[in-house]
Each structure stands twice: as structure tokens, then as C-alpha cells.
Amino acid sequence: MADKDGILNPKDYGIDIPQANSTFHVKGNSHASWGMKSRLSKIFNPRSGNSLMLAFDHGYFLGPTSGLERLDLKIPPLAEYIDCFMGTRGGLTSCIDPSITGDKAIALRVSSGSSILNDDLSNEIISVDIEEAIRMNADLMATQVFIGAPHQKESIDNLSKVINTGNRYGIPTMGVVAVGKEMARTAEYFRLATRIIAEVGAQVVKCYYCDDFETVVAACPVPIVIAGGKKIPEYDAMDMCYKALQLGAAGVDMGRNIFQSDDPFAMVQAVRGIVHDKLTTKEAYELYETIKNR
Ligand code: 5RP
């Protein structure tokens, strides 16, 4: 029987103590297979240890979101500055010329099944199989996980199946923490969700930034990349990235705060500066302004 009272107040996170027995730059993946490490090294730059992933998979349940009305026009100009494209099968194959993917990683959204017309977004299926992921040269498969939602079990079943097939072929899985309309965005909730996803076996976790984020990172044995969330002012989005990186995030998987920016081309380069070149928020914002005003 779960002893809720005994587990709800963990506090000994060992903040700032690196994960033990690490021989690889991607946290928790020292014992992964050769092929998986090769793919993870495409996603997470071995020099900085971090990743700048550009998320443009929103259409899979939102339709043509603001800023993503035309994937073919919006995404290619940003490609040079990112480490990884994160999109759907249809978005990638119909709008992104494979010749521009070059040495960039591909994170393939493999879950779907809900839309903004549903109150409950948690009822998803796996819509892309492993053969297709291999054919698309995917380096990462991403599936949504809804902890505490009506279809939690099904979303963990989806996650498990993707991990099981991914492990067979050396393709890592990213579990994406979903926040439904009623779900809290607290460290307590994110610690629960990220840890469940990691213990099921995901090699990478995507989560939102929150207060006490360092406890979420410390308690999650694999790398966390943060989602950008709703569009906020450019400086604030950069500051969120900076703080998340300082507190242990291994990068960002950012969408709206890049492609809905006043200047996506400047924004992607500023975020890259934070992720890979240790720029502070102020330095990144100056870079943004310089590029924007050219
Ligand atoms: C949806 C996703 C999206 O790709 C991602 O969260 C969107 O990125 P952003 O919040 O930065 O627009 O995984 O769950």
C-alpha cells in the first residue's frame, strides 16, 4: 500500500552533487548502448552538455497555431542555430527539406489523439511506429505523459511501448510532462511526474520551469529540457532559460517563445548563447537587440 504520508516531504536532494558514476555527458545515460549514445550526442552537444531543441509540433493537437501557420516558411531560417528539430511526422516530411537537417538531430513526436476541442487531452495513442522513426532517421521519440489525469495509465502505457521499441533499436525516448488545464505547475508536481517518467525508462524528460526547479532536476536521474510555455516578453523568456540552465536543466525544447517572438531569428540566436555559450540574460538580450536592429 502506498504510504503517502511517508513520501510527500522528501528533502535530501544533494543539490549540486553531480550524479554518481557518470562517464558520459548526458546524465543517467552512461550505460546506454553505443547507438543510443551516438544519437544523444547529436542532441546534447558534448562541449556544453546542453541542447537547443526547436519545438514546432504544436499542430498535432492545436492546428495552425499563431506563428506556425506555415512550417515551411517559419522553421528553415532558424535551423542553422538549433541542435534538434522537434516536430511531427507530417510536419517534418511535408515542410522540412531533409537536406537542411544536416548534422541536426530529429526529435519525432510519436503521440497524438487529442485536440483543443477535447476537455481531456490525456487520451492519446502512439501514432508513429518504430519502423517509421527509423526511416525518418529519428534521434529521439517524444510522447506526452499525463500524471494525475484521467488517462494517466494509458499515457504511461504509450511511454513504456515507445521506450521498449526505442531501446531495441538504440533510439532514445523523451517523456513530455503534460500540464492539463487543472494541473498544478509546482515543483512537487513536476518532481512526481519527471521521476515517474525517468523510472519508467525515458532517457530524456521535458518539463516546465518552476520555483524550486533545482529539486526537480536533482531528483530526476536523466536530463531535463525545459519547455518554453506561453509567449512571454523576450527578456523574461531568456531569463527563464538562464535560470533553468543555472539550476541544472540540460537545455530547452522551446517553441512559442521563439517562433512567436518579434524576431525569431534574433531570439533563437540569443537562446543559443545562453544554452551553449554561457551568456547571461543581459548578454543574451543585448545580442537579441543587436541582431534585431541590424
Ligand atoms: C506539447 C509540447 C510542445 O512541443 C511544447 O511544449 C511546446 O513548446 P513551447 O511550450 O515552448 O511552445 O511538447 O506538450
Side-chain angles (χ1 to χ4, degrees), residues 53-58 60-62 86-87 109 124 142-144 146 174 176-179 185 206 208 226-231 240 253-260:
M53 305 167 69
L54 178 64
F56 54 93
D57 60 333
H58 304 58
Y60 100 91
F61 76 110
L62 290 174
M86 187 211 184
R109 155 73 58 186
E124 291 200 328
T143 181
Q144 211 77 359
F146 296 83
M174 179 166 76
V176 180
V177 176
V179 283
R185 294 184 179 217
K206 173 171 172 175
Y208 289 86
I226 62 156
K230 281 186 188 154
K231 171 77 176 70
M240 178 178 68
D253 184 14
M254 184 172 266
R256 286 163 287 181
N257 277 290
I258 293 178
F259 62 70
Q260 290 179 351

Side-chain angles (χ1 to χ4, degrees), residues 40-142:
L40 287 167
S41 297
K42 254 173 106 180
I43 302 162
F44 295 95
N45 183 316
R47 181 177 61 82
S48 65
N50 298 328
S51 184
L52 170 47
M53 305 167 69
L54 178 64
F56 54 93
D57 60 333
H58 304 58
Y60 100 91
F61 76 110
L62 290 174
T65 333
S66 167
L68 286 188
E69 295 87 346
R70 292 284 302 270
L71 294 175
D72 58 321
L73 302 180
K74 187 54 74 77
I75 303 304
L78 309 178
E80 181 181 347
Y81 302 100
I82 64 171
D83 300 301
C84 182
F85 295 89
M86 187 211 184
T88 59
R89 163 172 49 187
L92 284 159
T93 57
S94 61
C95 298
I96 308 299
D97 182 339
S99 66
I100 71 159
T101 62
D103 58 354
K104 317 281 176 200
I106 303 292
L108 185 61
R109 155 73 58 186
V110 296
S111 63
S112 71
S114 60
S115 80
I116 37 171
L117 301 180
N118 305 126
D119 282 335
D120 171 23
L121 298 176
S122 70
N123 197 5
E124 291 200 328
I125 55 163
I126 295 303
S127 55
V128 182
D129 63 26
I130 188 71
E131 288 80 7
E132 185 79 306
I134 294 167
R135 249 192 311 277
M136 289 186 65
N137 204 22
D139 298 287
L140 188 66
M141 295 184 288

Side-chain angles (χ1 to χ4, degrees), residues 58-290:
H58 304 58
Y60 100 91
F61 76 110
L62 290 174
T65 333
S66 167
L68 286 188
E69 295 87 346
R70 292 284 302 270
L71 294 175
D72 58 321
L73 302 180
K74 187 54 74 77
I75 303 304
L78 309 178
E80 181 181 347
Y81 302 100
I82 64 171
D83 300 301
C84 182
F85 295 89
M86 187 211 184
T88 59
R89 163 172 49 187
L92 284 159
T93 57
S94 61
C95 298
I96 308 299
D97 182 339
S99 66
I100 71 159
T101 62
D103 58 354
K104 317 281 176 200
I106 303 292
L108 185 61
R109 155 73 58 186
V110 296
S111 63
S112 71
S114 60
S115 80
I116 37 171
L117 301 180
N118 305 126
D119 282 335
D120 171 23
L121 298 176
S122 70
N123 197 5
E124 291 200 328
I125 55 163
I126 295 303
S127 55
V128 182
D129 63 26
I130 188 71
E131 288 80 7
E132 185 79 306
I134 294 167
R135 249 192 311 277
M136 289 186 65
N137 204 22
D139 298 287
L140 188 66
M141 295 184 288
T143 181
Q144 211 77 359
V145 182
F146 296 83
I147 301 301
H151 293 88
Q152 168 183 299
K153 184 177 160 202
E154 288 81 357
S155 74
I156 293 181
D157 186 46
N158 289 342
L159 174 70
S160 308
K161 286 181 175 140
V162 176
I163 293 169
N164 290 336
T165 50
N167 284 356
R168 209 173 295 146
Y169 296 98
I171 302 182
T173 297
M174 179 166 76
V176 180
V177 176
V179 283
K181 291 173 194 148
E182 306 302 325
M183 293 177 190
R185 294 184 179 217
T186 61
E188 186 177 35
Y189 174 70
F190 288 141
R191 283 193 300 265
L192 173 73
T194 56
R195 182 63 171 262
I196 289 172
I197 291 171
E199 297 232 13
V200 172
Q203 287 81 10
V204 181
V205 176
K206 173 171 172 175
C207 178
Y208 289 86
Y209 181 69
C210 61
D211 290 343
D212 301 322
F213 185 70
E214 67 278 17
T215 64
V216 180
V217 172
C220 180
V222 296
I224 293 181
V225 292
I226 62 156
K230 281 186 188 154
K231 171 77 176 70
I232 53 179
E234 277 77 3
Y235 186 93
D236 296 348
M238 290 176 211
D239 202 39
M240 178 178 68
C241 293
Y242 177 75
K243 287 178 180 148
L245 270 283
Q246 292 295 306
L247 297 177
V252 303
D253 184 14
M254 184 172 266
R256 286 163 287 181
N257 277 290
I258 293 178
F259 62 70
Q260 290 179 351
S261 166
D262 287 345
D263 191 331
F265 187 69
M267 186 66 181
V268 75
Q269 293 180 67
V271 173
R272 182 179 177 83
I274 295 170
V275 169
H276 287 311
D277 302 324
K278 296 189 165 63
L279 294 194
T280 61
T281 306
K282 187 168 170 289
E283 290 166 337
Y285 193 72
E286 282 165 9
L287 176 64
Y288 170 79
E289 288 280 299
T290 305

